[in-house]
Amino acid sequence: MAVGALAVAVAAFFVWRSQPSPAPLPPPTPVSSPTPSTTPTAPKVTVHVAGKIRKPGVYLLPSGARVTDAVTAAGGVSRGASLDSLNLARRLIDGEQIVVGAPPGTMAQGSPTTGPAGGVIDLNTATPDQLEELPGVGEVLAARIAEFRTTHGGFTSIDQLREVSGIGPRKFDEIKPKVRV
């Protein structure tokens, strides 16, 4: 019996010794951030800032930038200039011109927005009131066109008008010759 008890004690000792013991973890390895050359570049918009501005010119800004960002990039407004004619919170559209200090309600010379009587309306710069001058476009549809322009970062082609709710094939054919991008 003593030999049996000794065998059980030796077996229990070896079972207890063979249990795994916790070991410390190695220190974490730092994760390096990707190098600038491997990160994708964000789309950009090109805008022309003119008027009563410190450094007028053409600026390349990140997509989604606002009018206030363009004014800041151009060095800010000149002394005594008014920003009343600008919506500083509006998102920029590629290829547009921002005129600082123009009296409210006036357009800069060479502005792309003209009424149907003058020819063609630029979908990316027309106000809702100007859009209402298009055939078959009322207040609601003009608001939808402006909303589409804001949410999609501007029109890149006239054919995108078909994606605006309320513009069917017939209305598109009526509007198409009176608009541009």
Side-chain angles (χ1 to χ4, degrees):
M1 215 148 110
V3 174
L6 180 62
V8 169
V10 170
F13 174 75
F14 282 113
V15 168
W16 177 74
R17 287 275 281 157
S18 67
Q19 290 181 349
S21 61
L25 293 174
T29 57
V31 176
S32 62
S33 61
T35 59
S37 62
T38 62
T39 58
T41 58
K44 303 275 185 181
V45 293
T46 304
V47 294
H48 177 212
V49 184
K52 296 179 180 178
I53 198 84
R54 290 192 177 140
K55 295 187 276 181
V58 177
Y59 292 90
L60 187 65
L61 298 170
S63 181
R66 310 274 179 174
V67 171
T68 190
D69 300 325
V71 170
T72 302
V77 297
S78 298
R79 189 176 306 185
S82 173
L83 293 173
D84 292 341
S85 64
L86 294 176
N87 175 2
L88 296 173
R90 184 178 56 78
R91 286 194 177 176
L92 296 173
I93 300 168
D94 188 48
E96 79 173 292
Q97 181 183 40
I98 300 165
V99 181
V100 177
T106 62
M107 298 301 290
Q109 182 181 14
S111 171
T113 305
T114 61
V120 177
I121 289 181
D122 189 312
L123 290 172
N124 288 322
T125 58
T127 64
D129 290 337
Q130 291 166 327
L131 291 169
E132 286 180 39
E133 296 175 18
L134 294 168
V137 177
E139 183 179 338
V140 173
L141 190 52
R144 287 181 189 160
I145 293 170
E147 180 184 347
F148 182 91
R149 174 178 64 200
T150 303
T151 58
H152 291 84
F155 287 91
T156 57
S157 77
I158 295 171
D159 291 332
Q160 284 182 305
L161 268 177
R162 293 179 181 161
E163 298 175 33
V164 177
S165 175
I167 298 181
R170 194 170 76 195
K171 191 170 288 191
F172 176 75
D173 290 338
E174 292 174 359
I175 296 173
K176 185 178 180 177
K178 300 193 180 288
V179 294
R180 72 173 178 191
V181 177

